[in-house]
Amino acid sequence: MKVVGMDRREFMTGAMVSALAAGAAAQPSAQVSPNDRLGVGVIGCGGRSETHLSTLLEMEKTDKTVEIVALCDIYRPRLKKKSAMVGRPVHEYSDYRELLRDPAVDMVTIATPDHHHAHQAIAALEAGKHVYCEKPLTHWRQWELAKRFFEVAAKSSGAFQLGAQRMSDSAYQQMKQLVKDGIIGQPIHAECGIFRTGDFGERGMPIDDPDAKPGPDLLWDEFLGDAPKRPFDVSRYFRWRMYEDYAGGPVTDLYPHVLTQVIDILGVTEPSEVVATGGIYRYPEREVPDTFNMFIEYPQKISVAVLGTQGSSYQGTGGRDDIRIPVIRGWDGALTIQESEILFIPDDSVRASGRKEQRFAIEHGYNVLYLMRNLVECARSGARTLDSGPGLAFHTQTALLMGMAAWRAKKTAVYDAEKGAFTV
Ligand SMILES: NC(=O)c1ccc[n+]([C@@H]2O[C@H](COP(=O)([O-])OP(=O)(O)OC[C@H]3O[C@@H](n4cnc5c(N)ncnc54)[C@H](O)[C@@H]3O)[C@@H](O)[C@H]2O)c1
């Protein structure tokens, strides 16, 4: 597989890439020979791409199923830094559309700001690539785009995985099976959430260069994408999570990590109604809420509460992870997690009939490696991804976007199943 580096001019124009790609239109890559490595292109070379790259580098070494062949970022210093992390020449792009035309790329990982995810995922699937896309599926204002993604993904032969990373924790697949087997009876209520302290997430968002300016090395219009047009602002670029044009606070940034599993376990799709409360209670410098609670009703007569703040970190339930451990309640009992076990607690109403507490060992914890491996296996076999495939990603995003719409309007968001749309 031919891999080339690019100089500064080529970064600006993409001329070499176009030449390379000329005459080699992207081919659907659903058929991958088991002996061929998937060529991977990483789109977005900021903080999260560290994990994408280190995972892919590990897979290159141990699984020998992938090979990083291309990187893309609209900010050249980060592109160069991540290129150095790969440690050998790779194709470098400033425009993801050019990366998608590169015939060496079979699969992409997407770690750009939220408002680019679905645009880039749709374009990648349409170009015949397999996709690992960071959560959230879309920005909060992109409901129509989420729907379009779902339509495209449903028809595509490309495999898709959303990076809601705790989906790789076997606890949730095991809980899903237990619920399916009827251990809790008819599900009626669930709760989950995330509590943490920190303005923009765990590690903050560093301003790499306070003097950064738009130009050939920082493509501001490409950063803005379909967000409102504004003059360049160094804080908006580096600390985009603070601004509602590009982010939504806990509901979109954090809750895909916990609600995705709950929706999967319950087997529900579109909610009937969502209400939400919260606001900017601790960090007045940001435009997006730091505290957000949402209550989701499903037509199957199931309520789900998602609770959280970025202003205080006690999870309330202890346990296995840095999230509030989900509780799934049914008519006959509840399922939750304690340390490395799933715990079944019988309902008071069935204890008399002899139902007792039960514990199930959890097979393994969460790791991005499991999700990427699953994606690669599905890319090879043509199977749908086991974890956060397109349907689950879309249904989770629907509930989250209804929550955001309800919170902004201070009203109830109501889903109309016939129209396939919601109103507030
Ligand atoms: N799964 C997880 O646990 C997890 C953790 C952190 C971040 N994330 C997600 O990853 C995404 C990226 O977050 P981050 O912290 O790396 O942000 P970041 O700002 O550090 O990195 C984003 C990068 O994307 C680049 N970019 C912006 N627009 C682009 C475009 N049109 N084309 C190509 N590159 C573009 C930026 O220049 C930047 O380098 C977010 O959506 C976030 O929700 C997920």
Side-chain angles (χ1 to χ4, degrees):
M1 189 173 287
K2 192 177 172 199
V3 182
V4 294
M6 293 180 71
D7 68 21
R8 186 185 182 88
R9 198 177 135 267
E10 285 156 349
F11 173 85
M12 287 155 56
T13 64
M16 183 179 177
V17 170
S18 304
L20 271 175
Q27 300 294 317
S29 49
Q31 293 299 320
V32 181
S33 149
N35 300 320
D36 282 349
R37 289 183 182 221
L38 291 176
V40 183
V42 173
I43 305 175
C45 292
R48 185 59 181 165
S49 70
E50 293 282 322
T51 306
H52 287 198
L53 283 167
S54 56
T55 306
L56 291 164
L57 286 168
E58 188 177 341
M59 288 169 76
E60 278 190 0
K61 211 161 73 187
T62 53
D63 305 20
K64 302 192 192 323
T65 52
V66 295
E67 181 177 350
I68 302 162
V69 294
L71 301 178
C72 171
D73 202 289
I74 53 100
Y75 182 48
R76 185 175 167 80
R78 285 185 171 170
L79 182 62
K80 283 287 158 200
K81 203 170 152 200
K82 290 300 172 337
S83 211
M85 186 175 164
V86 178
R88 56 168 195 271
V90 289
H91 295 174
E92 293 174 2
Y93 298 95
S94 57
D95 183 339
Y96 73 92
R97 301 163 199 89
E98 288 180 352
L99 178 144
L100 294 178
R101 286 196 286 274
D102 185 338
V105 173
D106 303 301
M107 167 179 148
V108 296
T109 74
I110 298 172
T112 47
D114 304 0
H115 62 297
H116 292 299
H117 292 177
H119 287 297
Q120 293 172 340
I122 288 171
L125 289 170
E126 287 180 339
K129 317 290 182 189
H130 307 289
V131 179
Y132 182 93
C133 179
E134 272 309 331
K135 45 46 64 174
L137 182 60
T138 68
H139 182 268
W140 57 263
R141 67 171 183 272
Q142 293 173 323
W143 156 247
E144 290 301 330
L145 186 66
K147 274 197 343 190
R148 198 156 86 72
F149 162 81
F150 186 42
E151 284 159 19
V152 170
K155 285 189 212 137
S156 167
S157 59
F160 176 85
Q161 186 85 269
L162 191 79
Q165 51 176 299
R166 285 174 188 80
M167 280 303 293
S168 62
D169 186 333
S170 69
Y172 302 108
Q173 297 301 320
Q174 292 174 253
M175 285 166 91
K176 181 179 174 181
Q177 190 57 48
L178 288 166
V179 170
K180 218 169 161 185
D181 293 345
I183 191 166
I184 61 168
Q186 169 62 41
I188 187 168
H189 195 280
E191 68 189 60
C192 59
I194 296 189
F195 293 80
R196 60 165 69 161
T197 312
D199 202 348
F200 327 112
E202 259 168 344
R203 288 174 300 168
M205 297 192 85
I207 293 186
D208 299 10
D209 175 8
D211 299 321
K213 298 266 178 311
D217 287 351
L218 197 173
L219 306 179
W220 177 239
D221 282 346
E222 284 294 317
F223 170 83
L224 289 177
D226 71 357
K229 299 292 167 228
R230 291 182 191 276
F232 178 73
D233 176 334
V234 79
S235 175
R236 281 182 173 268
Y237 170 63
F238 286 107
R239 300 193 145 177
W240 54 267
R241 272 193 190 79
M242 285 171 61
Y243 300 95
E244 63 173 16
D245 283 355
Y246 328 112
V251 60
T252 44
D253 200 21
L254 301 181
Y255 297 164
H257 286 313
V258 289
L259 184 60
T260 310
Q261 296 90 302
V262 170
I263 288 180
D264 195 34
I265 291 168
L266 294 171
V268 291
T269 56
E270 284 81 25
S272 46
E273 291 180 4
V274 181
V275 293
T277 64
I280 303 170
Y281 294 166
R282 180 164 176 179
Y283 300 111
E285 65 273 31
R286 53 193 268 169
E287 291 179 359
V288 294
D290 51 42
T291 301
F292 201 92
N293 309 296
M294 55 191 283
F295 304 93
I296 314 167
E297 302 306 308
Y298 284 95
Q300 293 82 357
K301 299 188 178 168
I302 303 172
S303 289
V304 177
V306 191
L307 309 175
T309 179
Q310 288 172 305
S312 190
S313 63
Y314 177 60
Q315 303 295 340
T317 49
R320 177 174 175 72
D321 210 337
D322 67 341
I323 60 170
R324 185 173 172 85
I325 298 298
V327 181
I328 314 286
R329 296 186 178 84
W331 292 9
D332 297 344
L335 278 181
T336 188
I337 296 173
Q338 270 188 358
E339 305 295 340
S340 56
E341 291 178 324
I342 295 164
L343 175 63
F344 166 70
I345 306 122
D347 194 73
D348 287 349
S349 59
V350 299
R351 277 184 194 271
S353 63
R355 294 285 301 269
K356 295 215 163 32
E357 271 190 21
Q358 283 177 265
R359 289 173 181 274
F360 305 87
I362 294 169
E363 285 154 21
H364 62 76
Y366 78 86
N367 189 329
V368 173
L369 187 59
Y370 297 133
L371 285 182
M372 285 213 189
R373 274 191 179 141
N374 176 236
L375 178 69
V376 168
E377 279 159 20
C378 292
R380 289 170 172 280
S381 68
R384 284 284 180 207
T385 45
L386 294 176
D387 302 328
S388 350
L392 183 57
F394 172 69
H395 299 314
T396 305
Q397 193 66 5
T398 300
L400 297 173
L401 297 198
M402 285 176 70
M404 190 60 160
W407 177 75
R408 289 175 71 82
K410 305 235 171 297
K411 289 186 178 158
T412 302
V414 180
Y415 195 84
D416 182 331
E418 268 179 33
K419 290 191 182 140
F422 67 85
T423 49
V424 283

